[in-house]
Amino acid sequence: MENIREAFGKFLDYQLRLSNLYHAMNLLHWDMSTIMPPKDAERRSEVVGFMSQEAFRIETDKAFIELTDSLFEVRDELTDQEKAMVEKQKKEQDFKKKIPEEEYLEYSILVSRGEKIWEDARNADDYEAFRPTLEKIVQFNRKIADYIGWEETRYDALLDMYEPGMKVSDIDKVFSEVRDGLVSILDRIRAKGLEVDNSFLHDKFDKRLQEEYNRELAERLGFDFEAGVIAVSAHPFTTNFGNKDVRITTRYDENDLMMSVYSTIHEAGHAIYEQNIPDELAKTNIGGGVSMGIHESQSRFYENIVGRSRGFIGAELPKLAERFPNLSKVSAEAFHRAVNKVMPSLIRIEADELTYSLHIIIRYEIEKAFINGEVDFNELPKLWSAKYKEYLGVEPSNFREGVLQDVHWAGGMIGYFPSYALGNLYGAQMLYKGILRDLPDYDEIVASGDLSRVTGWLKDNIHTHGGTYKPSVLIEKATGEPLSASYFLRYIEEKYSNLYGI
């Protein structure tokens, strides 16, 4: 081949063209979910579809494919970052070559429209309004899995999109350990019969004051408002256009203060990861988090391990009480117990930390079933309800509380849900085998209210690598061990044993 450096320069030019298109599409999606006028939904879907088709054409351009193939053959002569870029592009191009262009365009338009159809159906509590779209999305994902190819189960192909290298057999083993451990702890808490008062969290909290507090909170966590903004959407999310424009959304309830607080902390965790991606990676295909599981480790680390800790509560409660005098007589101990109250619930994003992973296991089992063709979509709400009754002892009274509560399937993100639970595992392992090792005064740092050293550790060990290393490599580099469920279970055991005296 030609000179490797010259060839790689051309490769980066292609990367820049793709980056420009994908960043523009992300901006359109952000707008669709926040402030777009409803009447523009049809036209916006057409524009997104066109841009998706343009990106598809670049990625399937013969010269680009040949260039990528040539670099792939000499990838061991490249740096780790360059090698990761080439390997990821090779994987994407091999995937795109297997999918007919007209089907790719059709699917892009389908999922673009799907999110609006889901939102309308959710608002109307009308599953039937969404069911035909969901069926089409699932059918497309079955075809996509078959185009990619799989050995053990079709779902493996979809799972690999979000957590490279992970298989159903791996997830089944880990989730089995987590499920058994959580159920054991939950049973002990129920047997204890300790009532925790959290009524003071469901008082009247002015929305404008919540917005002010959340903005200051995000900044204290490390979110850079010169490189990001916060808005409102039905389902909180994070999107970015490189590392200099990272946008998060939250949602507010004047009778539920902590809904917005923890949504903001969670999304800020995602955003800080993206803002800390090095400039030299930002316009490439590894210029973001390496996997959904690692991304969730950051959001859930900030939300739970930090945000629900006694030290953090002690630092933040006085600031909350300044804005909301109805909290002025609440002790830090009572507040800490309240935000960690174990109470099986229907809504995933409002679930307590202990039972949250059971919400994920339910979705994971349903996804596996409908990708394997084992679900009658007319009966999906009943299946959902049955699993909630079995695992959590609760049943939804409407579709909004049940099968319509999440946007993921509407956006075609089948295979994403396991990432949330994997994020819990990664985050706990980072705490015990990385942060506490390198920052032995971690508890004092959190209690001080200045998290810069903790964020610095995450930046140095996780964020700065972008997508250079696969999750299994990254977690071992950061912690010295392969991924294990034991640290998350240890974290949960220690925390809830202290809280509930079990």
Side-chain angles (χ1 to χ4, degrees):
M1 63 176 295
E2 60 189 299
N3 179 274
I4 292 179
R5 301 322 314 162
E6 183 178 343
F8 194 78
K10 292 179 180 178
F11 178 84
L12 289 178
D13 289 340
Y14 278 105
Q15 289 289 305
L16 180 59
R17 290 168 61 190
L18 287 169
S19 175
N20 290 341
L21 278 170
Y22 284 123
H23 288 173
M25 281 190 282
N26 283 349
L27 182 58
L28 292 176
H29 280 296
W30 156 270
D31 185 73
M32 289 170 72
S33 298
T34 53
I35 60 173
M36 183 190 76
K39 289 184 178 180
D40 194 47
E42 188 74 20
R43 175 59 180 152
R44 185 64 57 87
S45 294
E46 293 173 354
V47 174
V48 171
F50 170 78
M51 297 178 77
S52 296
Q53 189 175 34
E54 288 301 300
F56 183 90
R57 286 174 176 165
I58 292 173
E59 291 195 314
T60 56
D61 177 78
K62 183 179 178 181
F64 187 25
I65 291 172
E66 291 176 351
L67 177 61
T68 302
D69 287 344
S70 297
L71 287 168
F72 185 79
E73 292 299 318
V74 296
R75 62 192 182 279
D76 289 338
E77 299 179 41
L78 303 173
T79 67
D80 285 354
Q81 292 178 344
E82 293 169 345
K83 181 178 180 180
M85 292 178 205
V86 171
E87 288 180 342
K88 185 172 183 180
Q89 192 61 47
K90 170 71 171 171
K91 182 178 179 180
E92 288 286 333
Q93 287 177 344
D94 287 348
F95 168 54
K96 293 279 173 50
K97 284 189 291 186
K98 297 174 181 178
I99 301 178
E101 184 174 351
E102 63 276 7
E103 289 189 22
Y104 184 80
L105 174 60
E106 183 183 353
Y107 180 66
S108 298
I109 294 173
L110 174 64
V111 295
S112 179
R113 292 172 176 166
E115 293 189 18
K116 179 62 176 171
I117 293 169
W118 162 80
E119 185 174 350
D120 290 343
R122 181 178 180 272
N123 290 338
D125 193 32
D126 184 359
Y127 171 69
E128 282 302 308
F130 179 57
R131 180 183 56 77
T133 300
L134 177 60
E135 286 194 71
K136 290 178 183 177
I137 289 171
V138 170
Q139 288 165 2
F140 258 109
N141 273 271
R142 288 175 186 156
K143 292 174 69 175
I144 288 170
D146 290 340
Y147 283 135
I148 295 171
W150 47 273
E151 295 179 3
E152 297 175 11
T153 172
R154 180 180 278 119
Y155 190 74
D156 281 344
L158 303 178
L159 185 62
D160 185 69
M161 293 181 177
Y162 302 99
E163 202 64 21
M166 193 71 74
K167 293 184 178 296
V168 166
S169 55
D170 301 319
I171 297 287
D172 284 347
K173 178 181 183 300
V174 172
F175 279 8
S176 175
E177 292 178 30
V178 170
R179 181 191 63 237
D180 293 347
L182 294 182
V183 168
S184 173
I185 297 170
L186 184 58
D187 286 345
R188 287 154 54 201
I189 289 175
R190 283 173 168 157
K192 185 76 173 180
L194 179 65
E195 289 296 322
V196 174
D197 178 23
N198 68 346
S199 59
F200 51 83
L201 298 178
H202 300 278
D203 204 338
K204 186 73 172 178
F205 301 97
D206 182 79
K207 179 183 174 183
R208 180 183 60 81
L209 294 177
Q210 288 190 55
E211 290 174 342
E212 289 178 1
Y213 171 78
N214 281 314
R215 180 181 175 87
E216 293 178 6
L217 172 61
E219 195 164 26
R220 283 194 292 277
L221 293 172
F223 182 78
D224 181 0
F225 277 95
E226 292 188 358
V229 297
I230 298 179
V232 178
S233 67
H235 192 292
F237 70 96
T238 300
T239 192
N240 67 293
F241 328 114
N243 60 352
K244 299 296 192 295
D245 188 351
V246 185
R247 304 187 184 191
I248 67 176
T249 68
T250 190
R251 59 175 181 155
Y252 295 95
D253 183 336
E254 291 202 333
N255 300 117
D256 187 351
L257 172 64
M258 303 313 289
M259 174 191 290
S260 69
V261 171
Y262 284 116
S263 291
T264 299
I265 296 175
H266 182 97
E267 299 306 331
H270 283 303
I272 291 166
Y273 190 176
E274 294 293 341
Q275 289 180 336
N276 281 336
I277 297 295
D279 290 345
E280 61 268 24
L281 302 183
K283 297 177 184 178
T284 74
N285 62 350
I286 62 168
V290 66
S291 73
M292 293 300 101
I294 295 294
H295 235 302
E296 286 302 321
S297 76
Q298 303 306 282
S299 59
R300 299 191 67 74
F301 180 89
Y302 281 101
E303 177 189 358
N304 292 325
I305 295 178
V306 171
R308 297 182 194 273
S309 69
R310 175 60 180 83
F312 182 82
I313 295 301
E316 288 298 316
L317 182 55
K319 299 179 178 65
L320 281 167
E322 286 178 11
R323 283 196 168 84
F324 306 108
N326 38 345
L327 297 177
S328 60
K329 294 183 179 180
V330 179
S331 70
E333 288 74 18
F335 202 98
H336 182 226
R337 286 194 297 270
V339 299
N340 287 290
K341 182 177 181 177
V342 175
M343 186 171 62
S345 63
L346 293 164
I347 307 301
R348 174 184 62 85
I349 63 172
E350 298 172 11
D352 61 78
E353 186 179 9
L354 177 61
T355 61
Y356 182 88
S357 291
L358 296 177
H359 290 258
I360 299 306
I361 290 170
I362 288 170
R363 286 155 176 78
Y364 169 68
E365 291 180 351
I366 290 175
E367 283 190 348
K368 285 196 301 180
F370 64 47
I371 289 299
N372 289 333
E374 299 167 355
V375 173
D376 178 348
F377 284 88
N378 293 307
E379 301 297 317
L380 182 57
K382 292 182 180 179
L383 174 61
W384 183 286
S385 296
K387 286 188 175 291
Y388 263 80
K389 185 176 182 179
E390 177 184 358
Y391 286 92
L392 292 161
V394 295
E395 292 183 86
S397 60
N398 57 54
F399 298 123
R400 284 193 302 272
E401 295 175 337
V403 72
L404 290 180
Q405 70 175 268
D406 296 303
V407 70
H408 300 64
W409 293 340
M413 294 180 285
I414 298 171
Y416 188 137
F417 276 121
S419 304
Y420 293 108
L422 288 171
N424 288 334
L425 307 189
Y426 287 128
Q429 187 161 324
M430 290 174 197
L431 173 68
Y432 284 105
K433 300 301 291 183
I435 294 173
L436 290 175
R437 175 196 66 203
D438 298 337
L439 302 175
D441 56 341
Y442 166 80
D443 289 336
E444 289 77 15
I445 294 171
V446 174
S448 75
D450 181 359
L451 297 170
S452 58
R453 288 175 62 201
V454 176
T455 298
W457 188 96
L458 293 170
K459 178 181 179 180
D460 292 343
N461 290 276
I462 305 299
H463 307 165
T464 194
H465 297 299
T468 302
Y469 302 108
K470 290 182 179 179
S472 60
V473 175
L474 183 62
I475 192 65
E476 192 156 0
K477 284 177 68 70
T479 70
E481 295 182 9
L483 179 65
S484 168
S486 63
Y487 297 108
F488 175 65
L489 291 173
R490 173 183 168 186
Y491 161 74
I492 292 292
E493 174 74 32
E494 291 177 353
K495 179 173 186 174
Y496 286 94
S497 293
N498 290 330
L499 281 165
Y500 280 85
I502 55 173

